[in-house]
Amino acid sequence: MLLSFVIFHKGGLVLYQHLNEASSTGSSVESLTNAINTWLSEIYFNPTISKTLKKNTIQVDDDDTTISSRRTIVEWEETSDLIAMAVYPDLRHEDFPWIRNLLTATLYEFQIFIKASSKKESATSTDTSSSNCNDDVVLIMTTVASPENQSSFDRTFQVLFQRHRNNTSTGDSTSAAKSIGSTSKNNPPGKQGGKGKEKRQWHDGKAKVTKGTMAELDRSKAVTEDDILKSEEQALAEARAAYLPTDADLEEFHMEDTTTLIDADDEDDDDGSSSSSSSWGKSLSGLFAQMTGQKVLTKQDLEVPLKEMHRLLTSKNVAADIASQVCDKVQESLVGKKLNSMYRVKTAVRQALEKVINELLLPSTQLDLLRQVVSKRDRASSLFARSKNQRPYVIVVVGINGVGKSTSLAKLAYYLKSNGCKPLLAACDTFRSGAVEQLGVHAKCLGLPIYSKGYSKDPSSVAMAAIEQASQNGNDVVLVDTAGRMQNNLPLMKALGKLTFENQPDTVVFVGEALVGNDGVDQVKMFDKAVSFQSKSQKVDAILLTKFDTVSDKVGAALTMTHVTNAPILFVGTGQKYHHLQKLSTASVIKSLFQ
C-alpha cells in the first residue's frame, strides 16, 4: 500500500500531499514526517550515498504500527525545481514496480497544473510593476500549495494512481518520463506521434557488407561518458545491495555460530521420548532405544546399533574409514559401563560422539586468523621492531573453478575490516576474463584498496608487488586471489606452487564446496601437495567451505577433509552477503548427522 505521496519545491515548500486513510491519523502523519526528514538528512543531502536508483530503505524510529515493521521505502523523482516522493512499507514478499511510472506521470501532470495556476494568477493580478521574478515564483508556489489547489489536483492524482496501480497504461508514464524537466509544450502522455514503430529488416546474411550497414549496427558511438558513468554507478549500487548487509541483516545474524545441543535428558520422561527426539533426531534415539534396565553393556549389545550408526554416517557424506573410526571410539566409551536407564545411555553416547567429532573437526593445528593478524601487526609496531615497514600478514586463497573463491576472499576481508584490520586485495587471477573487475567491485563495495596489473601477467610477481605496496601503505593484511584450477592440471598446479614458494604466505586457505561430497577430499589433498611441492614449510593451513546452507544434513565432507589434511575448518559460507560467514559448531554437526 502507498502510505504517502508528496510533491515539494526544492526550496522546502510542500505543494501537494496525499495520505491513505490508515496514515491520516496524527501519530501516523508524524511517523511519515520523520521518515521524510530521515531520508532528506541521511540520504538526499548525503554526498557519500549514490542516488542513481532513487530508491532507499530507511528505518523509522517510531512505535506506530501503521509503518510496516518500521522499515520504509522512499522512492522519488525530481526535476530542476520539484521532487516527487512516494513512501510505502518494505514488504519483502511484494514489490511495487508501478511506483516509478506513477512518480514520472504525476510530476508531468503537476507541471501542467503549475502552468495553469500561474496563468490564472497573472490574469487576476493588477499590480505587477513592483514585483520581481523571484517574488512571482514564490507567489505562484504559495498559490499552488493552497488547500483548494491541492484538493483540485488530488482528483487528477487519484486517476493516475488507479491507472498505474492496475497497470492499465504503461505508455502514458513512458511519455511522461521524457517530459520531466521540460517547459516546452510537449505531446501529452500517451500521444507518441510520428510514424509509429518501424518494421525491422531481417537479413539472411547474404547481403553485401558496406560501411553504411556497419555504421548502423555500431551502437558503441551512441554511448557517452555520462552514460558509462551512470551505468557503473548503477552496477555498483546493485552490487552493494546484493553483498553488503543492512542493520536488520546484522541483527538477525551472528558471526559465530553458538548453537549448542540442548541437554534434553533432564527434561524427558523416563522413556526419553519427548524433546530428545528433536535435539538428537529420531535416528540416534532409535539406535539405543532397546537398551534399558540394569545391565553392563557388551560388544554384542552395541553391534547392531553401531552398524546402523555407521550406515547413517556414510549416508551423510562421511568417508567409510572415518565412520568406522567414530563407531570404534563410541564403542570404546560404552563397553563395560553399567547403565540403569535410557537417560544414562543417551548421555554416554552424546559425550562419546562430541569427543570423537571434536577431535576430527578441531585437529592439533588450530588457527585463529584474527589473532594471528593482530599479533603480527602488534609486533611490527612495537618499540623493538627491526623495521616499521615490516611485511604484512599474507593470506592466499586457492581452489578449483567456480567454488566462490573471490566472494569468500571478500567475506574474509569484510570480517577482518570489521575487526579493525586494514586489508589490501591482490588481484592475482590474471587468467580468467573479468576476474580483476569482479574483485574490483568487491573492493569498491568494501571501501578497500586493490592492487592489480591486469591480465596475462605472472601471478607470483603481482602478489609480490602487492605485498610490497601493502608494506609501504600500512596495510596489515594482504588477501591474494588466485585463478581457479582443476586439481589434475599439472602446469597450473606447479604455477600455484611457485606463487606460494616465492611469496611465503602466512596462511593458505583452500576454498571448496560443501556439497561436493568426498570428491573434495581429493581436491584438498592435491592442492596441499602442490603448495608444499617447492617448499615443505608451506601447506594448506585451513579450509573454507562455501554453500554450506545448501547441503542440508550431508555435512560429513567437513569431517573427512579435516581428518585427511589435519587442517581446521576456518569458516563456512552460509549465503551471498559478506556477513554470511560462520564458524563450524561441533554440536550443530552432530545434530545434522543424526537428525
Side-chain angles (χ1 to χ4, degrees), residues 463-509:
M464 190 176 298
I467 295 170
E468 180 63 27
Q469 178 171 304
S471 300
Q472 296 174 0
N473 295 344
N475 298 101
D476 50 17
V477 57
V478 176
L479 293 135
V480 180
D481 185 30
T482 62
R485 65 204 77 205
M486 297 306 295
Q487 68 270 22
N488 55 3
N489 190 322
L490 186 59
L492 291 180
M493 295 300 278
K494 284 185 176 180
L496 178 62
K498 176 177 179 288
L499 185 149
T500 55
F501 173 71
E502 293 182 351
N503 292 279
Q504 293 295 308
D506 297 275
T507 298
V508 177
V509 178

Side-chain angles (χ1 to χ4, degrees), residues 227-518:
D227 294 333
I228 296 175
L229 183 60
K230 290 180 181 178
S231 177
E232 290 178 350
E233 289 179 352
Q234 183 172 356
L236 181 59
E238 291 174 352
R240 283 174 173 160
Y243 291 113
L244 285 174
T246 63
D247 292 339
D249 291 333
L250 294 175
E251 289 178 2
E252 299 170 0
F253 190 93
H254 298 285
M255 183 66 71
E256 293 191 4
D257 183 12
T258 56
T259 304
T260 56
L261 288 175
I262 301 173
D263 191 356
D265 299 323
D266 296 335
E267 302 173 3
D268 289 349
D269 298 327
D270 291 338
D271 60 354
S273 60
S274 59
S275 60
S276 172
S277 296
S278 62
S279 296
W280 281 86
K282 296 179 180 179
S283 301
L284 190 60
S285 299
L287 294 181
F288 300 91
Q290 71 275 23
M291 298 182 190
T292 57
Q294 299 279 350
K295 67 173 300 182
V296 176
L297 292 178
T298 64
K299 289 185 177 180
Q300 290 73 22
D301 295 326
L302 297 172
E303 183 177 354
V304 174
L306 287 177
K307 184 177 181 180
E308 181 63 17
M309 179 186 286
H310 187 280
R311 186 193 66 80
L312 281 171
L313 290 170
T314 53
S315 69
K316 303 297 177 64
N317 281 346
V318 180
D321 57 334
I322 307 299
S324 299
Q325 181 178 332
V326 171
C327 293
D328 291 343
K329 291 290 182 68
V330 171
Q331 179 178 277
E332 291 176 8
S333 301
L334 293 180
V335 170
K337 285 192 174 182
K338 183 178 181 180
L339 306 174
N340 54 17
S341 68
M342 183 61 192
Y343 165 76
R344 293 292 301 278
V345 173
K346 289 189 300 180
T347 301
V349 172
R350 182 188 63 203
Q351 291 173 350
L353 277 173
E354 286 181 345
K355 181 180 179 181
V356 174
I357 293 179
N358 259 314
E359 291 175 355
L360 293 173
L361 288 178
L362 306 176
S364 57
T365 53
Q366 291 298 304
L367 176 63
D368 190 331
L369 186 65
L370 181 62
R371 177 176 294 180
Q372 291 191 10
V373 172
V374 173
S375 176
K376 187 168 186 177
R377 179 186 65 194
D378 292 344
R379 288 198 303 269
S381 60
S382 68
L383 296 175
F384 302 99
R386 296 181 180 178
S387 172
K388 294 302 179 183
N389 291 330
Q390 285 198 0
R391 174 187 170 94
Y393 194 93
V394 180
I395 302 171
V396 174
V397 178
V398 302
I400 67 168
N401 312 72
V403 295
K405 291 186 302 301
S406 298
T407 304
S408 298
L409 181 143
K411 290 181 179 180
L412 289 174
Y414 174 83
Y415 169 72
L416 293 169
K417 181 184 177 182
S418 300
N419 286 279
C421 300
K422 297 179 180 178
L424 179 140
L425 310 186
C428 297
D429 184 354
T430 62
F431 178 76
R432 178 172 63 89
S433 177
V436 176
E437 288 79 7
Q438 179 188 7
L439 195 65
V441 170
H442 286 305
K444 290 179 181 178
C445 289
L446 292 166
L448 294 175
I450 181 174
Y451 185 88
S452 66
K453 285 292 185 180
Y455 296 96
S456 301
K457 301 293 191 300
D458 178 25
S460 180
S461 301
V462 176
M464 190 176 298
I467 295 170
E468 180 63 27
Q469 178 171 304
S471 300
Q472 296 174 0
N473 295 344
N475 298 101
D476 50 17
V477 57
V478 176
L479 293 135
V480 180
D481 185 30
T482 62
R485 65 204 77 205
M486 297 306 295
Q487 68 270 22
N488 55 3
N489 190 322
L490 186 59
L492 291 180
M493 295 300 278
K494 284 185 176 180
L496 178 62
K498 176 177 179 288
L499 185 149
T500 55
F501 173 71
E502 293 182 351
N503 292 279
Q504 293 295 308
D506 297 275
T507 298
V508 177
V509 178
F510 172 80
V511 178
E513 286 185 343
L515 48 77
V516 75
N518 289 316

